[in-house]
Amino acid sequence: MAIIKRRVLMSINVIMIQTQSIFFSDRIWIYGMLLAATTIFVTCQSNHKDITESVAIASAKFSDRVYRDSNEFYFPMEVFRDTSLYVGRDTFINSWYSEQLFAMREPILYLENGSNEIYRFTWLRTFHNPIAIRIEKNGHDYILFWKQCSGAGGYEPGNIEVSTQRVISKVQWDKFKSKVHTLNFWNMNTNEGETLGTDGSRWILEGKEANKYHVVDRWTPNEKSNFYRCCDFLIQLTDLNVNNKY
């Protein structure tokens, strides 16, 4: 009988030890999960803070801009030349484009003195909102700006209704630069043909790099062209909801 009691007590002790072990393991598991959750939360908060600070820092770097008044031309007069079919083309186009860009409170790129590498796509659709998308590199920082006015690209620009910016990755910047390279942007003619086209849209791409400036202006480019794809890539980087892409 004593032997039986001893065996029963030993069994009870084993069960208690195993139970305590399970509780201890569960407790360690719970502590581990809590620690992991806390780490994830802190990391997310830190990443959010880092992204917010990156936008603020980048914006500060890109804030030194050249603004004038509504009568200031945004392009050098010599880039939009008169043609045999259109005398006064240079002044007309420069005035039209400048009015739209001034309404969007955009900088005058060809007057920029900084070391930033800058490209800007100005999209003027005759009957739809004017849009400007600017992509910039400053050292190891890359940022995208986009603006939209309430008016129409072929008429009065209206007021700013969208003005947004965000930090982009080096990969996105490199993809864009690859398209600029494929396009052979810096060697393209600014104007194509002698006519302005009717209705449709103007696709204007500017580039500013060190002491170099260039602009290419096209009327309703073919969607299969490298020029279209380069500018469209910038549209896709934004969150603009564009239903009329022409």
Side-chain angles (χ1 to χ4, degrees):
M1 189 68 178
I3 295 173
I4 294 175
K5 286 183 178 179
R6 199 161 42 244
R7 288 180 177 177
V8 170
L9 288 173
M10 287 176 65
S11 299
I12 292 173
N13 287 335
V14 169
I15 292 171
M16 290 180 66
I17 291 171
Q18 289 178 343
T19 303
Q20 289 175 355
S21 177
I22 292 171
F23 286 161
F24 182 70
S25 299
D26 287 346
R27 187 176 301 172
I28 291 176
W29 182 83
I30 292 171
Y31 286 158
M33 291 299 293
L34 287 173
L35 179 61
T38 302
T39 302
I40 292 171
F41 176 77
V42 171
T43 301
C44 290
Q45 290 292 97
S46 176
N47 288 342
H48 176 74
K49 181 181 179 182
D50 289 344
I51 293 171
T52 303
E53 289 179 350
S54 295
V55 172
I57 292 170
S59 299
K61 289 182 179 180
F62 303 134
S63 63
D64 186 16
R65 290 302 180 215
V66 180
Y67 295 96
R68 294 290 193 271
D69 57 42
S70 58
N71 296 317
E72 185 77 13
F73 285 141
Y74 271 66
F75 304 88
M77 280 299 295
E78 62 270 17
V79 299
F80 300 120
R81 299 190 180 96
D82 287 347
T83 69
S84 59
L85 298 178
Y86 198 156
V87 177
R89 169 194 175 113
D90 54 350
T91 305
F92 172 77
I93 291 181
N94 215 335
S95 297
W96 171 17
Y97 296 175
S98 297
E99 179 186 19
Q100 298 282 338
L101 287 167
F102 178 79
M104 289 186 273
R105 296 300 184 268
E106 276 292 292
I108 302 176
L109 293 194
Y110 84 93
L111 294 180
E112 288 286 313
N113 296 318
S115 60
N116 294 7
E117 187 176 352
I118 313 169
Y119 293 88
R120 176 171 61 205
F121 168 47
T122 304
W123 191 17
L124 303 179
R125 296 167 294 169
T126 302
F127 305 110
H128 294 87
N129 306 126
I131 290 171
I133 305 171
R134 181 164 28 98
I135 186 170
E136 304 194 25
K137 174 182 181 292
N138 184 311
H140 298 293
D141 293 317
Y142 310 89
I143 193 165
L144 185 77
F145 302 82
W146 63 96
K147 298 176 183 177
Q148 176 178 297
C149 276
S150 58
Y155 297 90
E156 293 296 321
N159 300 315
I160 295 177
E161 59 181 13
V162 175
S163 181
T164 310
Q165 63 196 57
R166 73 177 180 90
V167 170
I168 61 172
S169 67
K170 184 179 184 301
V171 171
Q172 291 170 314
W173 169 265
D174 288 343
K175 283 183 179 179
F176 172 72
K177 285 302 299 289
S178 175
K179 293 181 182 298
V180 170
H181 178 73
T182 301
L183 182 61
N184 195 22
F185 169 77
W186 294 97
N187 293 314
M188 291 180 69
N189 292 329
T190 293
N191 307 300
E192 185 179 53
E194 295 194 344
T195 60
L196 283 174
T198 56
D199 297 336
S201 60
R202 305 303 306 190
W203 293 50
I204 307 126
L205 182 63
E206 298 171 81
K208 179 70 169 66
E209 181 180 315
N211 297 319
K212 183 168 60 173
Y213 171 84
H214 188 52
V215 55
V216 175
D217 178 20
R218 294 292 182 266
W219 172 63
T220 315
N222 187 298
E223 63 182 19
K224 294 182 179 180
S225 69
N226 288 329
F227 183 76
Y228 181 102
R229 290 170 179 168
C230 182
C231 298
D232 187 50
F233 179 77
L234 292 180
I235 298 173
Q236 294 177 36
L237 287 179
T238 72
D239 63 359
L240 291 168
N241 184 18
V242 179
N243 296 319
N244 297 279
K245 191 180 289 187
Y246 60 89

